[in-house]
Structures are given as structure tokens and as C-alpha cells.
């Protein structure tokens, strides 16, 4: 409640435990029993923070980039979208993932001048444009019975709309005819700014779009991509006023939890984009000290995400590398050990399935981990905006 915490006054800490059944379903009843923790060691943020005085660049591997792009191309459906998780049933096309795939196709077309990727980007962009409604996009789509797609949900999360705008910007900057994409980018930005107004009208602090920091960072970069610099700066001011504690960004404006994406990944890129390099280094180096974790079989090491970290996640590690985190080159070599040996370019979410609290790890192969391996080799696509 705003007072200093005196650790000598702590007599006991109560920890609630709950169990998952063999099917992986959480039981609210949990298990009864006693957990005994003997020796506690408390550390400060400065003790956890690794020494980091610059952002790292990695040596990109064109072969890896080609493999990722080719695998995504092979999976593209006739209607233009790409399955988000390759073995998931029913097949779903999550909006954030489609933005990732569109960016990969666009960047690979530019890098290689291969018209197959130009055409793939055009097909995917055309489908994304056709799915825009009232300026936004819902969270996911699935196949209908007519060879097209439909959505069983009308939920549109701000971060997904923001990433659609980001993906379309990366595409439009390289498209032969960007006019339709430019119009969609503008409409998407208007949708985001209307949400900002709604958030303020509901009692939220001015300049934000949601209480969660990740959604605000995504919105910031989307507004930058759309050329809405004044609105983007409002989001930046909101984040620094309500989520920055002097050494890192919180998970939410009232949630001081630590998540790698807002501490060392997108959060560090946001700070760098604002010209706050020292703050970005401080935040990234803190994430670097907290989130390294080995796979359960000890075969590789990567960066975790939020709940734990329990095990390496390929997407978050790729984001960390794209943001220039310390040890990036070595970490890139580590996550590339997880590539599917039978399908070059396909990467899993994590080495093993695991779900706990707000964390979700999957061993399924999909767009998010594969595309962030590509972006790790390419560099900071958000800074490029």
C-alpha cells in the first residue's frame, strides 16, 4: 500500500496450490496438504540485473530465413491465410499470427526478389483486408464450408488489431499497389484511437487503450506505423506515467508482475523508439537476469515468458533476440536446436506442453515461434517502423 516492505517482519507466506488432471484440465479444488519452504533468499532488482551496456546484433543466416519463409508458404491455404498452429484442430487462423506471416512474406519477397513470396503476401493481405470490419479485426477465424473463412467470435482485442496494422505497414511499404492496404491501415488506426477514447471515458487514465501494458505497446507501434504520431505519443506518455517504475515496465498499470515481452522485448524496443536507451538497457538487462531457463531435459536454454519461467519459449526468445538482448547470438543457436528435423523452418512454441496460471506453453509447431525466428535473423521490425 505504498509503504516500504520490511522483510524482517514477515512471519509466514501462504501459497495456494492447485493441480491439473491427466488431461491437463485445471481443478479449482486443487489439492490439500502442506508445502514447506526452508531457506529464503531475497534479492533486489539490481542484484538480478545482468551487466549490459549495449544492444547486441546477431549474424543473420539467410538459409534459416529461407527455410522459415518456405515452410509458411507451403502451408498457406488457397484463401490466403496460414494455420496458426499446424496440428491444432479445428484449424484456426489467429489475427496476430496472420500479421506475422504477412510480415515474413513481405520481407522475404524484398530480400530474395522471389515472386512466389510477393504473390503469397498479396494473397494474405487481400484476405486480411476482406476481413476488416468497422476498422478492426476479430481475434481469430476458421474455415467455413464454402472455401472461405468465418469467425465464431466477435471479440476484437486491441493488440491483435494493432499487429494487423503493423503487418499491413510492412506489406504496404513493399507492395506494388499499396493503396488498399494504406486505407486499411488508416481505418485500423481510427479503430484504435476510438478505443483509446472509450478507455478514457470508462475511467481509465488518458492516453491509454487498456490496463494491460502489452496492448498499449502494440498500439503505440501501430499508431506509429499509421503515421498517427500525436496519438502514439499519447500512448507513450501514458505508459511512462502509469506503467514505468523507474527500472522496468509493469505487466499492467496496476499489475507489477514481470513479463519478458514488456521488460526486455517489445518494452525495450518501445523505450529505444522513444530515445530512452539507458532505460531500455536497464529494463532489458533485468529481464536477462530473470528469464533464462533450461528445457526440462537440459538439452538447450532459452528465455521464458511470464508464468515461471517454466521452460524456454521460442517466440519470446526470438523477440528478445530481435530486441538485441544480451547473449542473443548464443540464444539464437539454442532455439534453432528445436527446428523440426523433418520439416525445415518449422519451430515449436516450447520444448514441451505445459500450462499454469497465465502461462501457456505448447510443443505444437506454428507461425508465432517460426516467424520470430525469422525476425530474430532480420532484426528489430518494430524499430524499422
Amino acid at each position: 500500500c505504498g509503504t516500504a516492505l520490511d522483510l524482517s517482519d514477515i512471519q509466514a507466506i501462504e501459497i495456494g496450490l492447485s493441480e491439473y488432471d491427466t488431461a491437463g484440465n485445471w481443478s479449482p479444488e486443487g489439492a490439500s496438504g502442506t508445502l514447506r519452504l526452508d531457506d529464503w533468499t531475497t534479492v533486489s532488482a539490481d542484484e538480478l540485473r545482468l551487466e549490459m551496456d549495449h544492444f547486441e546484433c546477431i549474424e543473420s543466416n539467410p538459409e534459416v530465413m529461407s527455410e522459415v519463409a518456405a515452410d509458411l508458404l507451403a502451408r498457406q491455404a488457397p484463401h490466403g491465410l496460414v494455420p496458426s498452429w499446424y496440428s491444432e484442430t479445428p484449424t484456426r487462423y489467429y489475427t496476430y499470427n496472420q500479421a506475422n506471416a504477412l510480415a515474413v512474406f513481405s520481407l522475404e519477397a524484398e530480400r530474395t526478389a522471389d515472386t512466389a513470396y510477393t504473390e503469397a503476401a498479396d494473397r494474405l493481405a487481400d484476405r486480411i483486408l476482406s476481413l476488416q470490419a468497422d476498422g478492426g479485426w476479430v481475434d481469430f477465424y476458421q474455415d467455413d464450408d464454402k472455401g472461405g473463412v468465418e469467425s465464431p467470435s466477435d471479440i476484437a482485442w486491441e493488440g491483435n488489431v494493432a499487429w494487423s496494422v503493423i503487418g499491413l505497414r510492412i506489406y504496404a511499404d513493399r507492395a506494388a499497389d499499396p493503396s488498399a492496404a494504406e486505407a486499411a491501415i488508416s481505418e485500423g488506426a481510427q479503430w484504435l484511437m476510438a478505443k483509446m477514447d472509450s478507455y478514457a471515458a470508462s475511467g481509465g487514465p488518458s492516453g491509454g487503450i487498456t490496463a494491460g501494458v502489452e496492448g498499449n505497446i502494440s498500439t503505440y507501434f501501430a499508431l506509429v506505423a499509421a503515421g498517427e504520431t500525436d496519438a502514439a505519443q499519447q500512448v507513450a506518455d501514458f505508459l511512462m506515467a502509469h506503467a514505468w517504475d523507474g527500472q522496468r515496465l509493469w505487466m499492467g498499470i496496476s499489475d507489477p508482475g514481470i513479463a519478458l515481452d514488456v521488460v526486455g522485448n517489445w518494452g525495450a524496443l518501445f523505450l529505444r523508439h522513444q530515445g530512452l536507451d539507458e532505460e531500455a538497457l536497464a529494463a532489458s538487462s533485468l529481464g536477462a537476469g530473470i528469464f533464462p531457463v533450461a528445457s526440462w531435459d537440459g538439452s538447450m536454454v532459452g528465455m521464458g515468458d511470464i508464468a515461471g519461467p517454466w521452460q524456454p519459449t521460442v517466440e519470446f526468445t526470438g523477440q528478445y533476440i530481435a530486441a538485441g538482448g544480451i547473449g542473443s547470438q548464443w540464444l539464437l543457436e539454442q532455439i534453432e536446436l528445436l527446428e523440426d528435423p523433418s520439416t525445415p523452418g518449422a519451430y515449436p512454441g516450447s520444448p514441451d506442453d505445459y500450462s499454469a496460471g497465465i502461462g501457456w506453453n505448447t510443443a505444437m509447431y506454428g507461425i508465432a515461434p517460426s516467424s520470430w525466428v525469422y525476425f530474430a535473423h532480420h532484426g528489430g521490425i518494430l524499430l524499422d517502423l
Side-chain angles (χ1 to χ4, degrees):
C1 299
T3 59
L5 178 64
D6 184 351
L7 296 176
S8 67
D9 284 343
I10 295 178
Q11 298 179 3
I13 296 177
E14 181 177 331
I15 299 176
L17 299 176
S18 56
E19 289 187 331
Y20 285 76
D21 62 25
T22 56
N25 299 310
W26 175 70
S27 168
E29 292 78 16
S32 61
T34 302
L35 172 69
R36 299 191 182 278
L37 303 171
D38 294 331
D39 296 327
W40 283 79
T41 299
T42 59
V43 293
S44 68
D46 284 338
E47 292 171 301
L48 290 171
R49 186 177 282 115
L50 298 187
E51 184 176 347
M52 181 176 173
D53 58 11
H54 68 281
F55 292 98
E56 296 190 5
C57 297
I58 61 97
E59 183 179 348
S60 63
N61 186 332
E63 182 179 354
V64 173
M65 298 173 76
S66 293
E67 289 175 350
V68 171
D71 184 59
L72 291 176
L73 178 62
R75 298 179 189 276
Q76 188 176 34
H79 51 55
L81 302 184
V82 182
S84 289
W85 295 104
Y86 306 150
S87 60
E88 183 182 37
T89 53
T91 299
R92 284 185 171 178
Y93 309 94
Y94 294 94
T95 305
Y96 162 73
N97 299 145
Q98 303 313 306
N100 288 170
L102 179 60
V104 170
F105 289 151
S106 301
L107 294 171
E108 188 68 2
E110 179 182 52
R111 188 180 73 85
T112 65
D114 187 336
T115 57
Y117 294 108
T118 304
E119 294 166 359
D122 289 342
R123 285 193 300 271
L124 180 49
D126 288 346
R127 179 57 61 178
I128 291 174
L129 295 178
S130 74
L131 294 171
Q132 189 176 28
D134 300 322
W137 292 266
V138 297
D139 289 350
F140 70 92
Y141 302 88
Q142 61 190 32
D143 295 324
D144 62 20
D145 57 1
K146 301 179 179 124
V149 294
E150 60 186 3
S151 178
S153 169
D154 60 359
I155 298 173
W157 180 62
E158 294 84 358
N160 286 330
V161 175
W163 270 93
S164 294
V165 171
I166 292 168
L168 285 169
R169 165 52 60 210
I170 293 171
Y171 165 77
D173 285 348
R174 295 156 179 83
D177 181 5
S179 56
E182 293 286 3
I185 289 169
S186 178
E187 291 178 22
Q190 293 300 318
W191 187 96
L192 291 168
M193 290 187 287
K195 286 289 184 178
M196 291 169 61
D197 292 339
S198 297
Y199 180 65
S202 67
S206 176
I209 196 169
T210 178
V213 168
E214 179 191 347
N216 281 284
I217 293 174
S218 298
T219 297
Y220 168 81
F221 281 109
L223 293 173
V224 168
E228 299 288 351
T229 54
D230 290 343
Q233 192 57 48
Q234 291 176 29
V235 178
D237 293 343
F238 164 86
L239 286 168
M240 298 307 295
H242 300 286
W244 174 255
D245 67 2
Q247 58 186 0
R248 66 179 176 88
L249 289 164
W250 290 12
M251 288 177 64
I253 63 172
S254 59
D255 179 2
I258 299 179
L260 183 61
D261 54 353
V262 298
V263 172
N265 299 357
W266 298 347
L269 290 173
F270 159 72
L271 292 167
R272 291 175 67 184
H273 201 268
Q274 281 284 297
L276 302 171
D277 284 3
E278 292 302 317
E279 290 84 349
L281 283 167
S284 185
S285 61
L286 178 59
I290 293 173
F291 287 96
V293 61
S295 58
W296 294 332
D297 63 5
S299 63
M300 55 85 64
V301 172
M303 304 297 284
D305 48 16
I306 44 181
W310 304 112
Q311 61 174 331
T313 62
V314 175
E315 178 186 1
F316 276 64
T317 307
Q319 292 173 7
Y320 176 87
I321 297 165
I326 188 172
S328 287
Q329 185 69 50
W330 180 72
L331 285 168
L332 186 56
E333 295 165 3
Q334 291 283 298
I335 60 173
E336 286 175 356
L337 296 173
L338 296 176
E339 182 181 30
D340 185 349
S342 65
T343 311
Y347 289 85
S350 298
D352 292 285
D353 293 323
Y354 187 68
S355 179
I358 57 175
W360 180 75
N361 300 156
T362 178
M364 287 192 295
Y365 294 82
I367 293 176
S370 298
S371 63
W372 278 101
V373 169
Y374 185 99
F375 300 146
H377 282 277
H378 178 274
I381 59 171
L382 294 177
L383 285 184
D384 288 347
L385 297 174

